[in-house]
Structure formats: C-alpha cells, structure tokens
C-alpha cells in the first residue's frame, strides 16, 4: 500500500506521535470501559438485546445494547453506510480542501457526521468524548492490532472512552476483509438480506469471474501498482495488500519488487526516484486514488510521460484502501478487468 505520508514508516509502527490532549475527569470516569475478551460470536440487532463482536485481534467487545453511537475511520464508516449503518463521528480523510467528500468517504453525507480528524495524526479527543461513543471501529494494517489513524500519542486516552473493534486488511485477500465487514454490519443491525446488499455481493462475484477470465485470456499483460509523491514514485508489491493479493489470486500478472527493495517501505512498496520510474516494464499502471497521492493528470515528470503505459493511455485508478462493502469494490474489480481486456502489449 503506497502512501507518501507513511513512506518511511513500517506498518508495525506507523502511528506517529502527536500532541497530547488532557481530558481530566472525563477519562477518569471512563477508565473501566476497555474492551473485554470473550467468545467468538457476533450477536445483536438494532434496538434489541445485548451485543458482542469478536474482532480480528481476537478481542470480543460486549455491550448491554447494540451500539448506537458509533465512531469509525472514514473508510469503515463508508462501508457501514452502504449496509444501512450510520455513524456519529469519523476520523481519517473525510473532507477535501474545497469542502467536498474525500474519495474514502464513499456515499456518506459528511455534513451529518462529526469529523474528529481529517489528516494523519489528527484526532480531537474532547469532541470524541462529547459524542459519548459506544464503540470505535477502524481497520488494521499490521498484525500488532494497531488501529488505523488512531494517533499513538492519544490512543490510551481514546481507549478509555469506549471499546474498539479492529477489522484487518493486512496480509489477506479482499474477500476475507469484505466478509468481516459484512459480519460487523449485520451484528450492528444491517439488513444483509436486503436486495441492495445481495445484489452488490452478486455483482462483485460476477466482476471477479470477469477478471479471472480476462487475466487468463491475456497472460502477457503486466500490471504495476503505483503511487506518486513530489519526490518519490512508489511501486507496491502484491504481498500484504488486500486488493492486490486478491487480484493476483485471480491470475493478474503484477510487477513484483524484490523483498530487499521493499524493506524501507515495511515490505509494502519500493521507493523510486522519478529518474528511475521506468525500472519495471508495465502494460497497465494502477495509480493510488487517495488525496494523499498526486493524481496522474497532475504528474509533470517527463520520465512519467514517457512510460509506454502512460503514452498508450493504459493508466487506471486504484483504491489502495478499499471501502469494504461489496458495492464499492465492484468497480475496482471491473475497472481492472476492462483494462486487461482492452490493453495493448507495450512493455
């Protein structure tokens, strides 16, 4: 997963330190609200009975009622929204500089949620406490249980205010994480039998089969996953990333930087100077669509413009942090399938 903001951080220690916020009596009153371990079942339905859910850390959160005041990382909130679950607050890329919804916000109406932090290492703990949260939900990009976009400096204070649920997107295929988000949404009262949810899942399965056939029919097409910053071009390997691992399993032929080259990027990506952006031949380039990355239309480097895939118009967007609902993942699979179907061999 390429990201200019975290280029020099390993995923085991990627939450940077930040300014501390004091909450005084609020934290003291909430000191016993940490998540508890329990059984493996996810139970509960909106407005009725106790609720429990075992997350991907093996931690079971148990509450007397189904959570009503949910705070989540923006991408998680967007996925839950697709399943009919609305959150009270979000943290992570939510609003662009011009006031529009960030790509990671999906279909959410961001004017109806409290934004606790919009950039890396930003999380307003006082605002979080004021929401009286029942649970906090985020993704995890390592095997240490690090909650994505929860700052290292304030994580302990945040943990005292409400239990947390972590959904892993580390070293597994997209379908596994999609299923876990499905299970979480269902436990929170989402109607997973509704036509919208069922149709999206069916479309995802159809898109996946299309991609499998496209990859098989075009075995010579090489795909590179990239991300652009002002000084560095990042080339992602398929290991660790949920989307790339899944696409590879379907037969897509990816550029694979060697492990030694990915060491600086925590095993996720290799960092290249713009002078060396042509190091790996590729027929299709998938480019990180997050607002933290420079988008293809805004890349001015001459070496980029000379790449065969760029000259052939064979550059497509990639959601390096997929919104984990089937509806939002369908176009990711379809776009790659279509690109492979139409691609000319240029490498």
């Amino acid at each position: 997963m390429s990201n200019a903001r975290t280029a020099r951080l390993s995923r085991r220690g990627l939450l940077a330190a930040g300014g501390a916020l004091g909450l005084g009596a609020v934290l003291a009153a909430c000191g016993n609200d940490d998540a508890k371990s329990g059984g493996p079942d996810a139970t509960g339905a909106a407005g009725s009975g106790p609720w429990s859910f075992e997350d991907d850390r093996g931690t079971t959160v148990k509450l007397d009622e189904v959570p009503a005041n949910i705070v989540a990382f923006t991408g998680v909130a967007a996925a839950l929204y697709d399943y009919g679950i609305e959150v009270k607050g979000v943290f992570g890329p939510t609003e662009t500089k011009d006031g529009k919804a960030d790509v990671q916000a999906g279909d959410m109406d961001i004017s109806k949620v409290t934004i606790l932090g919009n950039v890396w290492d930003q999380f307003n703990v006082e605002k979080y406490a004021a929401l009286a949260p029942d649970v906090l939900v985020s993704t995890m990009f390592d095997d240490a249980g690090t909650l994505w976009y929860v700052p290292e400096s304030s994580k302990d204070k945040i943990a005292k205010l409400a239990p947390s649920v972590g959904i892993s997107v580390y070293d597994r295929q997209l379908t596994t994480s999609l299923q876990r988000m499905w299970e979480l949404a269902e436990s929170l009262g989402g109607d997973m039998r509704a036509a919208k949810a069922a149709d999206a899942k069916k479309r995802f399965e159809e898109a996946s089969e299309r991609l499998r056939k496209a990859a098989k029919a075009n075995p010579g097409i090489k795909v590179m996953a990239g991300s652009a910053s002002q000084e560095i071009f990042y080339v992602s390997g398929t290991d660790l990333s949920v989307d790339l691992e899944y696409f590879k399993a379907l037969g897509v032929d990816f550029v694979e930087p060697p492990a030694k080259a990915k060491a600086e990027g925590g095993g996720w990506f290799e960092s290249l100077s713009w002078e060396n952006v042509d190091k790996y031949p590729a027929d299709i380039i998938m480019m990180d669509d997050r607002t933290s990355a420079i988008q293809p239309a805004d890349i001015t480097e001459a070496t980029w413009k000379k790449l065969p895939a760029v000259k052939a118009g064979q550059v497509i967007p990639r959601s390096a942090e997929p919104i984990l609902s089937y509806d939002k993942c369908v176009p990711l699979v379809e776009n790659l399938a279509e690109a492979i179907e139409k691609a000319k061999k240029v490498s």
Side-chain angles (χ1 to χ4, degrees):
M1 175 182 160
S2 304
N3 190 340
R5 183 170 289 115
T6 59
R8 294 175 175 82
L9 301 176
S10 76
R11 292 292 170 164
R12 296 177 185 274
L14 46 72
L15 291 179
L21 294 173
L23 293 177
V26 175
L27 288 174
C30 299
N32 295 321
D33 288 342
D34 293 339
K36 300 177 181 179
S37 298
D41 295 334
T43 60
S48 65
W51 179 83
S52 69
F53 185 83
E54 182 178 5
D55 73 1
D56 290 336
R57 298 171 296 186
T59 298
T60 299
V61 177
K62 295 182 179 181
L63 299 174
D64 292 338
E65 297 179 350
V66 177
N69 293 344
I70 303 169
V71 173
F73 170 69
T74 302
V76 171
L80 293 176
Y81 182 87
D82 284 351
Y83 293 130
I85 307 297
E86 298 189 23
V87 306
K88 298 291 185 180
V90 297
F91 55 95
T94 306
E95 186 176 29
T96 61
K97 293 180 180 180
D98 58 2
K100 297 180 180 179
D102 188 275
V103 64
Q104 294 192 62
D107 293 333
M108 281 194 303
D109 183 345
I110 62 172
S111 69
K112 294 183 178 180
V113 295
T114 298
I115 301 175
L116 303 174
N118 197 56
V119 298
W120 184 257
D121 207 33
Q122 183 184 86
F123 192 113
N124 191 313
V125 186
E126 278 109 351
K127 280 188 178 182
Y128 179 58
L131 291 175
D134 295 321
V135 68
L136 177 148
V137 189
S138 190
T139 46
M140 301 182 299
F141 283 89
D142 61 23
D143 57 4
T146 306
L147 296 174
W148 190 230
Y149 267 79
V150 174
E152 181 72 21
S153 61
S154 53
K155 67 177 184 179
D156 292 338
K157 296 172 183 177
I158 292 168
K160 290 180 179 180
L161 292 168
S164 61
V165 167
I167 300 297
S168 181
V169 286
Y170 175 76
D171 196 18
R172 62 201 59 209
Q173 292 185 24
L174 179 60
T175 43
T176 300
S177 297
L178 278 169
Q179 180 60 30
R180 292 296 285 142
M181 190 63 70
W182 176 285
E183 293 166 359
L184 175 61
E186 186 173 36
S187 79
L188 293 170
D191 184 2
M192 316 315 284
R193 297 181 181 179
K196 179 180 178 181
D199 176 67
K201 192 171 185 179
K202 180 180 179 182
R203 287 188 291 112
F204 177 83
E205 292 168 350
E206 292 172 344
S208 297
E209 183 58 27
R210 177 183 175 184
L211 178 55
R212 187 194 304 276
K213 291 179 178 178
K216 185 176 182 179
N218 299 275
I221 299 300
K222 181 73 75 172
V223 180
M224 179 167 67
S227 183
S229 72
Q230 195 67 38
E231 298 178 351
I232 301 294
F233 183 83
Y234 306 96
V235 180
S236 293
T238 57
D239 293 340
L240 309 182
S241 297
V242 290
D243 61 330
L244 302 184
E245 284 201 12
Y246 182 57
F247 298 154
K248 181 180 179 180
L250 292 176
V252 178
D253 186 9
F254 281 97
V255 166
E256 294 283 3
K260 185 176 181 180
K262 295 185 295 182
E264 185 182 356
W268 293 77
F269 52 80
E270 177 181 1
S271 301
L272 298 176
S273 65
W274 283 104
E275 289 77 10
N276 295 316
V277 72
D278 60 352
K279 179 178 180 179
Y280 297 108
D283 303 296
I284 296 171
I285 304 176
M286 302 175 67
M287 289 296 289
D288 188 349
D289 70 355
R290 291 172 297 178
T291 51
S292 59
I294 298 175
Q295 297 307 299
D298 299 320
I299 298 175
T300 59
E301 300 289 342
T303 49
W304 163 262
K305 295 180 179 180
K306 292 179 181 178
L307 293 178
V310 175
K311 293 171 68 175
Q314 296 177 174
V315 178
I316 64 172
R318 175 203 171 203
S319 294
E321 293 181 51
I323 294 174
L324 297 175
S325 74
Y326 286 102
D327 181 70
K328 293 300 178 291
C329 287
V330 168
L332 310 185
V333 184
E334 288 183 336
N335 289 346
L336 181 54
E338 182 178 7
I340 292 175
E341 290 166 351
K342 296 181 177 179
K344 297 178 181 179
K345 183 66 179 175
V346 295
S347 64

